[in-house]
Amino acid sequence: MTTNIKKLVTTALVAAIYATLTLVLGAISYGPIQFRVAEIMVLLPFIKKDYIWGLTIGCFLANIIGPYGVPDIIFGTTATFLSVYAVYVTSKMMYGKKYALLVASTWPTIINAIIIGIMLNIFFGLPLILSMAQVGFGQFVVITIIGVPLYKSLEGKYFKILKDAF
């Protein structure tokens, strides 16, 4: 398989998995306190930057069908892009450092808490600080509390496959 086709297929597969997990678990994926299980995948750019587009597209697709409409399509997708890009940059800046993954896992929490918290406040009238805290809490639980240990447990066994996927 040529490299471009391999990249396209891998990007589509990541996008499809993210969107499907979000939609299938819709009851906990949307709202001020959301536990988007698919957000565990935002750690993938720590392995390789090529995962950034698949995750961004997957979020976009999930938000098209989600309950918050255009604001979430724009702001939610932007928050995901900035989050996964920050995860990637952290992996490069802190390469080999013991706490690099832990630091990287906090970016999606901070970025989503700010952007989605503001979105929920402006477009849906929810209290700003409360919205930020709720979004941040959900992100922190899924990505840092669940995602980081899962990442570490899979790291030695499967990451060569994930690195070679592109």
Side-chain angles (χ1 to χ4, degrees):
M1 187 175 342
T2 68
T3 304
N4 287 339
I5 293 172
K6 193 174 180 180
K7 283 184 177 187
L8 181 64
V9 169
T10 304
T11 298
L13 185 59
V14 168
I17 292 169
Y18 182 100
T20 301
L21 276 173
T22 301
L23 294 167
V24 167
L25 301 171
I28 61 170
S29 295
Y30 300 97
I33 299 179
Q34 52 183 269
F35 296 100
R36 275 195 186 187
V37 174
E39 286 287 299
I40 291 171
M41 295 174 66
V42 302
L43 296 174
L44 287 172
F46 197 83
I47 301 167
K48 198 166 187 175
K49 79 175 184 177
D50 295 329
Y51 289 105
I52 291 171
W53 289 113
L55 293 164
T56 303
I57 293 165
C59 178
F60 173 78
L61 294 171
N63 290 341
I64 283 177
I65 299 169
Y68 291 114
V70 174
D72 206 20
I73 293 167
I74 295 167
F75 294 102
T77 303
T78 300
T80 293
F81 173 75
L82 294 173
S83 295
V84 294
Y85 186 74
V87 168
Y88 166 71
V89 169
T90 302
S91 75
K92 295 301 161 210
M93 291 180 71
M94 296 183 70
Y95 182 75
K97 301 267 196 280
K98 185 176 181 178
Y99 298 104
L101 180 63
L102 191 59
V103 170
S105 77
T106 62
W107 288 118
T109 297
I110 294 165
I111 292 168
N112 278 279
I114 293 168
I115 293 175
I116 304 306
I118 290 170
M119 179 197 83
L120 291 170
N121 174 259
I122 291 171
F123 293 100
F124 304 101
L126 298 176
L128 179 62
I129 301 302
L130 179 61
S131 294
M132 292 171 120
Q134 289 174 327
V135 171
F137 173 74
Q139 290 287 109
F140 184 77
V141 167
V142 170
I143 299 166
T144 305
I145 303 295
I146 298 170
V148 169
L150 180 62
Y151 181 103
K152 288 301 208 179
S153 71
L154 299 173
E155 190 171 28
K157 192 170 186 176
Y158 298 104
F159 280 22
K160 181 171 179 3
I161 296 168
L162 294 172
K163 284 181 183 179
D164 296 340
F166 282 93

